[in-house]
Amino acid sequence: MNTTFTEAVGVARPRVEGRDKVTGAALYAADVPVPELLFGAVVLATIARGRVREIDVAAVQDMPGVVGVIDHRNAPRLDPETQHFFGPDGGLLLLQDDAVPFAGRPVALVVARTPEQAEAAARALPVRYDEEPHDTAFDAAHPAGRPAMTLFDGPVDVGDVTAELAGAEVVVAERYRTPEEHCGAMEPHSATAWWEGERLQAIDSDQGPFAVARVLAALFRLEPARVRVRTEHVGGGFGSKGMCGPQLILAAMAATLFRRPVRVTLTRAQVFLATAMRPMTEQVVRIGATADGRLRAIDHAAAFEISPLSEYIEGCTELTKTLYAAPAIRTRLTAVPLDVLPPFSMRAPGAAPGSFALECAIDELAERLGLDPIELRLRNEPAVGPASGLPFSGRNLVACLREGARRFGWETRDHRPRRRREGRLLVGTGVAASSFSAGAFPSTASITAEPDGTYRVLVGATDLGTGARTALTAIAADALGTTVERIRLRISDSELGPAWGAGGSRGTTSWAWAITQAAAELRARARDPDRPVTVTADTTGSLAGLAALERHSFSAVFAEVTADPATGEVRVRRLLGMFAVGRVVNPLMARSQVIGGMIGGLSMALHEEGLRDPVSGRHVNADFAGYHIAAHADVPDVEAGFVDDHEPGIPLGIKGVGEIGNVGTAAAIANAVWHATGTRVRTLPIRLDRVLEDGVHERFMP
Amino acid sequence: MTDGTSGTIRLHVNGVTHERHVDHRRTLLDALREDLGHTGPKKGCDRGQCGACTVLLDGRRVVSCLTLAVAAEGAAVTTVEALAGDGEPAPLQRAFVRFDGFQCGFCTPGQLCSAAGMLAEHAAGWPSAVTADLSPDAPPPPLDAAEVRERMSGNLCRCGAYPSIVRAILDTAAGEGVAE
Ligand code: FES
Ligand code: FES
């Protein structure tokens, strides 16, 4: 009996793999030594639409070190019915035919003995195309636009929006735009694949080895047990590694054809060109209110680009159904198929661009009402889900707004714009509220009580830098009533059993649930003297019993910016976020997560913009020089705090912290820019020209 | 021995001399990673734009992806693996762990080498773009958060660990100042 037991959950503790990461010992996918390794270099299509007419393999076949070239003529056939997150996915079907659906689609893989030889031959490989006219010009009114899939964030139409807007004393109706954005994880996607007898083995940088292994098995028509995918340390994902990536599919093809281990690591440019991006969006938000600031209607129409190859939902209107009470709420999502890279989830998918539109519009409403934007929000707190009518499991947005306002010093703010100057700089502050849906997905975990008093905990989790490894160790220790030193946690391997991936802010919650369930079963057998003893838990049943409630994390983000009226340069001077994210498992890492999210939001607000050349249809700034992400000098000291929160019905009362930090930050900054300058920038990023030109690109409402 | 496209060179890495036959196109980064098994330095971009590959070359920070291996012959290369003396992490490394100055850890080897080089540059009196007094006999500028951010801006971190990195560096610098 351990009498000194103290809970590990709730304690700030450095990462369990911290030492490995600061000494260079942590191995990422491209670091793992594999004997007899060959290297694959990917060749991407340079046209936006058409067909491959000819790939002249003979021209490179005899170059030094070249082992072979794979293209659509000799690639292994993949199963076109393979199910992905949104159904069958043409994005996975690499090298299956001569069609080029977007610039950046892999058309060949050159395999050689060294990376230099592979790259040299890939560059030398002559690829000729028959070009067809392409369309990469996104527009919400594009004739090809059609309703988005409704797997989530489907349309709602509550009350009579038209009548409420007509009867409103104040109406804001504005159009907001966000550009193509890229996850830009620092680790480029890398996979190494080889055959071990009848089994396909892979080391891959991804966000969920179990799901990725399943997809890979389906593509290659293999029994799931014949595919194993591992991924010990992952250098960030942010959504871009949520899928079975091109690196893995191509490495598996090469290992199959050449019967040697093959490593395929995308170049940085290829990460931009061939792995998922956040789609461009165009959103119209109309809000009607009474003169005393009661909302009467919110109408939110969002459009985003998509590729005909794969379904995807950029759920921009989730927050519109969550944040504010109004008698009428209408939302709809339009997908516009274009000849572009298939978009996929990027950190806070839907919520990040959606909250930019909604929370800027709310700020514009406060301006027109002459109200404190926080007061406006407080006046429209809903008692139940504004669109669903379901009760909230908990809703601590008001606490976030109040405590954030207190820490930030909001009280003394003059709400009129362009009132503060320091030297030549204009200074302004802004706020935004946000939410992100919470929950869990089915997962399994097994725990073995060993004779020596330690516990082996196996769960198919991954740690992309979220701190999952550390959090799950603490959770397992508490659930087993032991200390973290006695927990031997293994993650990052498809063999550990079915588990949700690291995504949707549901990773840690899903895995923790499975671990606590397995621990409870093990403790129920405490009198059983047999050691070792193993129990395996599957949360599918328990999840089904979870009450249907509106479950969300909430936050309030505050920003202070300076704007230089001569250059248009905006700098963020202060950034503070207050969060209600359920019980905080490890305050040190949770802070890092939400602060990292806010910095992602800052970067979205001011810097990030994937640019496409309309003539070629190609992405033209596919590197870190052209696509700037926030660097040290862009980022002030960021503050984050947590209000007391607890998610009922979910073990430990936890919710995800991975994405909520991104949500709201861009709007808070844009609102602060207006407060500083009097200019509403409704198109991200808030570039110098957009601040200087005083909104010339805003079009009139339809 | 040299043929047209490859040759044998000596690399002094973390106090050990290695002789390797390398492709002349091979970068120092690839030589470290592929030939010598030093996978601490990371390849984030291979174009000198991210800093993940930063190592110290005769004590000065360089991006090893823009340094040819053949050009590093004769120089002393220090990677993140050697920042720890005798197996014990250095104060800077311990501070990164304590302040949680990383998440995924992929940029971390570069951040650490860059920070070590940066602290030495600062101690030697080098100014930065935010240093106010640039006169030749000015004393070293005080090392504050703005100086650290400016000097570390070649090292990107997509996880957004910047505030904790800056704190870890300042804490280390303050600790060393006291110890001196
Ligand atoms: S890999 Fe060298 S700077 Fe990015
Ligand atoms: S810790 Fe992930 S990129 Fe810096």
Side-chain angles (χ1 to χ4, degrees), chain A residues 358-665:
Chain A
L358 177 68
E359 286 299 285
C360 286
I362 288 284
D363 200 68
E364 301 204 37
L365 180 64
E367 173 197 353
R368 286 177 218 185
L369 290 164
L371 256 185
D372 173 353
I374 290 185
E375 179 55 32
L376 173 61
R377 289 177 170 89
L378 297 178
R379 282 186 197 174
N380 292 285
E381 260 291 293
V384 293
S388 69
L390 289 173
F392 285 96
S393 60
R395 187 178 158 100
N396 276 319
L397 176 58
V398 170
C400 292
L401 284 164
R402 289 230 160 92
E403 177 59 15
R406 191 186 67 74
R407 293 191 190 187
F408 193 76
W410 187 262
E411 295 307 282
T412 55
R413 182 184 193 250
D414 180 340
H415 302 302
R416 295 166 302 170
R418 235 183 144 92
R419 295 282 146 172
R420 258 173 88 190
R421 249 179 205 277
E422 286 178 20
R424 68 168 202 280
L425 298 177
L426 299 167
V427 183
T429 55
V431 66
S434 79
S435 67
F436 198 82
S437 82
F441 284 107
S443 290
T444 61
S446 30
I447 305 181
T448 303
E450 301 284 5
D452 65 359
T454 63
Y455 296 88
R456 238 152 54 86
V457 180
L458 311 184
V459 58
T462 48
D463 190 335
L464 318 174
T466 58
R469 205 182 270 105
T470 311
L472 296 178
T473 301
I475 287 165
D478 281 9
L480 290 160
T482 187
T483 58
V484 290
E485 290 73 25
R486 289 180 177 240
I487 303 296
R488 311 261 173 274
L489 177 74
R490 268 195 60 210
I491 61 171
S492 319
D493 187 336
S494 61
E495 290 208 318
L496 301 176
W500 176 247
S505 287
R506 280 159 166 75
T508 299
T509 314
S510 306
W511 307 319
W513 196 324
I515 288 174
T516 50
Q517 192 170 314
E521 286 172 34
L522 192 61
R523 292 183 86 176
R525 285 163 57 172
R527 292 185 190 284
D528 181 348
D530 282 352
R531 290 286 181 274
V533 56
T534 301
V535 299
T536 300
D538 180 341
T539 60
T540 310
S542 338
L543 275 163
L546 193 61
L549 296 169
E550 289 272 354
R551 295 181 185 274
H552 309 270
S553 304
F554 292 93
S555 79
V557 183
F558 296 77
E560 179 176 290
V561 305
T562 62
D564 187 326
T567 64
E569 186 189 19
V570 171
R571 296 186 63 84
V572 176
R573 212 156 63 165
R574 292 166 63 205
L575 199 54
L576 178 149
M578 282 306 300
F579 295 88
V581 289
R583 181 147 179 231
V584 174
V585 178
N586 180 327
L588 181 67
M589 296 183 322
R591 266 189 89 252
S592 293
Q593 277 276 89
V594 295
I595 286 175
M598 285 193 279
I599 291 169
L602 180 159
S603 196
M604 172 186 180
L606 298 184
H607 309 306
E608 296 182 33
E609 184 173 28
L611 291 168
R612 215 167 264 285
D613 167 31
V615 176
S616 67
R618 286 159 60 175
H619 178 137
V620 295
N621 56 343
D623 62 36
F624 281 138
Y627 184 96
H628 181 66
I629 61 170
H632 272 286
D634 298 310
V635 178
D637 196 25
V638 180
E639 284 176 73
F642 299 98
V643 301
D644 270 346
D645 196 39
H646 185 274
E647 184 64 19
I650 291 190
L652 301 164
I654 60 177
K655 293 189 264 216
V657 288
E659 298 175 278
I660 181 84
N662 271 59
V663 190
T665 305

Side-chain angles (χ1 to χ4, degrees), chain A residues 286-300:
Chain A
R286 299 192 295 164
I287 308 179
T290 60
D292 66 348
R294 311 270 162 200
L295 301 194
R296 294 191 62 169
I298 314 176
D299 185 29
H300 187 171

Side-chain angles (χ1 to χ4, degrees), chain A residues 15 19 28 31 183 592 630, chain B residues 33 87 93 100 104 158 162:
Chain A
R15 284 162 208 271
R19 188 185 166 125
Y28 298 78
D31 300 342
C183 296
S592 293
Chain B
R33 292 177 51 82
Q93 291 168 306
D100 210 30
C104 77
R158 187 52 156 169
Y162 298 127

